[in-house]
Structures are given as C-alpha cells and as structure tokens.
Amino acid sequence: MYLTLKGVEKSFQHNTNDKLKVLDDISFDIEKGQFVSIVGPSGCGKSTLLYLISGLDKATKGKIEVAGEPVNNPGPDRVVVFQEDGLFPWATVLDNVMYGLLLKKTPKKEAEQKAKEMLKLVHLSNYAGAYPHQLSGGMKHRVSIARALVMDPDILLMDEPFAALDEQTRMTLHHELLEIWRRTKVTVLFVTHNIREAVLLSQKVIVMGTRPGKIKTAFTVQTTQDGVTPDSITLDLEQKILAALEEEMEKVLREELGDDYSFKTGSVHRDSSGDMGSGI
C-alpha cells in the first residue's frame, strides 16, 4: 500500500488539566493512484486527518507512512487544496500558479512554462493574465487545483473544495477533476459532506463516526470499464452510506438537543444529493 495509517490518534489541550481527543485509532490503507473520499458528521475530525497526513500537524499517537517512509513534516509530495481558494488577490492567475515553483527556486522561465501547461490542463489558458476578482468561484477553484498540481505531488489532499459552490458549477468541476486525476494518476484523498459527490468521484468511500473520530466502515465503488458508476449502483451505495451515518448523526443531535432526543432510524430523507450534516 502507498499511504498507510496505523492506530492514529490526535488530542488537543482542552483546558489546563484535560485533553480533547479528536481522532481515535484511525487505520486504513490507500493504493497509489487511488481516489478515496472521506465522509462523516461535522466535527468528526476529517479535516484534522488531512492536516496530519500533510504533515502540517502531528499525530498524538500512531504512524502515518507514504511509500514506507514516516510522515513527520510537510513535503512537496503532499499538497492540500482547501475549501477557500487562498489565491493572492494582487497576483495574476499565472503568478498564483507559479508561486510554489518559485519558492522551490525553479528558474522563472521553467516555472512559467509549467504553470501555463497546468492552466491548459484546467482549461484556463485564456485567463493567465487575469486577477482573482475577475474570476468566478469555479474558476478560482480550478486555479487552486492547478497551483497544487504544478508542484507534481504524489498525493492531493482536498478539504471540501467545492462545498461553497452551486450545484451546476460543482458538477462541472467533478468532471474536470476526474479528467485531471485520470491524466495525472495522482493519489487523491477527498473530504466532503456530500454523499453523492463522494460516490460519483471515488473508487472507495471511508465513513467516519463522530468525535472522537473513528473509521466506522468503508465502501468500494463499483464502476464500469469506462469508469462510470451505473445509477442503480450509485443510489444503492448512497443509501448504504447514509444508513451507516444515521447513528452518528443521532449522537451529534443528542449533544446539541439533549440526551432525550430520539432519532428514528430511517427517518432521514434519502435524497443524498445535498450535504450530509448540513442541518446539524
């Protein structure tokens, strides 16, 4: 396996004497070039998990390895794409994409060539000289993806990158992200609240339970030879994932509404095209 997590735990100092455990005994493996999504209730530690894998934060316990090497610090082999695009408003699209390469002391001419190639890949060649305020939300996210991929990472960590976008823009970016993934063969770990998004994009969906976050179950997404998931399989898998999450959603609601709250099994509307947990 390429990316391996073994018994990973993460706790934060809650007050002077206590610690708050956010992740507990997280263990899973991801193959090189695989597209894997993680879903779970709000606050279950999905984003924290990405931070640990990226090396931006360190686990309290357990091991994280990439190609057999322990993850102790950030590295160019792992790049994060956040929900907010994080573009520099004073820089052009081309300069935003080039930024990481120039930090690595890549010669400017070479960096510019690589950035232009990546903008072509995300269909933004005509906007190389534009500024972020001149772009739509979807275009900004494509710039963010280009900025990440130009670093030639082995693992792309995506933290709800399309959550704030309208449905039509999101569907367009789904298509483009899958095309990029197929062409680059990059390993993708994609965090989302949207169950349908997870099923449509992924080869594997990992379901996490509520705090402290644990791996509840995982599902393999069956596709045809051309990579398409039939509608009947998509719907069935969405329902199975939602059923696996109902208990976790009840736990979250009881924390907010009181222990006497009763969450009737099967009471959740099964149209999972929206964001799971968005009303929690």
Side-chain angles (χ1 to χ4, degrees), residues 100-261:
L101 293 174
L102 295 178
L103 281 182
K104 288 176 58 180
K105 308 299 182 183
T106 304
K108 187 173 181 179
K109 188 173 182 180
E110 180 183 346
E112 184 174 336
Q113 180 181 353
K114 287 184 177 181
K116 287 181 176 179
E117 290 173 357
M118 197 54 59
L119 286 174
K120 184 177 181 180
L121 184 64
V122 297
H123 309 296
L124 286 174
S125 294
N126 293 336
Y127 293 87
Y131 288 85
H133 73 274
Q134 297 173 308
L135 306 179
S136 67
M139 293 166 73
K140 290 178 183 178
H141 280 286
R142 279 190 279 166
V143 176
S144 296
I145 294 172
R147 184 175 58 182
L149 291 175
V150 79
M151 304 302 293
D152 195 26
D154 296 317
I155 300 175
L156 188 62
L157 304 165
M158 308 188 77
D159 190 8
E160 299 191 61
F162 308 145
L165 301 177
D166 65 84
E167 191 64 19
Q168 290 183 343
T169 302
R170 184 186 294 211
M171 289 172 62
T172 299
L173 289 178
H174 286 172
H175 175 76
E176 294 195 354
L177 177 59
L178 284 176
E179 286 299 314
I180 291 169
W181 168 65
R182 289 169 182 144
R183 291 179 63 175
T184 62
K185 307 299 183 183
V186 66
T187 304
V188 179
L189 191 58
F190 189 96
V191 164
T192 179
H193 276 102
N194 191 294
I195 296 173
R196 180 161 297 172
E197 181 173 65
V199 172
L200 292 176
L201 291 176
S202 313
Q203 295 175 305
K204 181 179 180 180
V205 179
I206 295 173
V207 180
M208 290 183 63
T210 192
R211 191 171 59 223
K214 294 183 178 181
I215 303 300
K216 186 177 179 70
T217 188
F219 297 92
T220 299
V221 182
Q222 301 293 331
T223 61
T224 58
Q225 289 185 344
D226 57 1
V228 176
T229 305
D231 289 341
S232 58
I233 294 178
T234 297
L235 181 59
D236 180 62
L237 187 53
E238 288 174 5
Q239 292 179 343
K240 287 179 178 178
I241 292 172
L242 189 55
L245 284 165
E246 284 187 341
E247 181 181 353
E248 307 308 315
M249 293 165 68
E250 181 179 35
K251 291 177 184 177
V252 174
L253 289 168
R254 281 185 172 178
E255 284 185 5
E256 294 188 0
L257 303 177
D259 291 338
D260 59 343
Y261 178 82

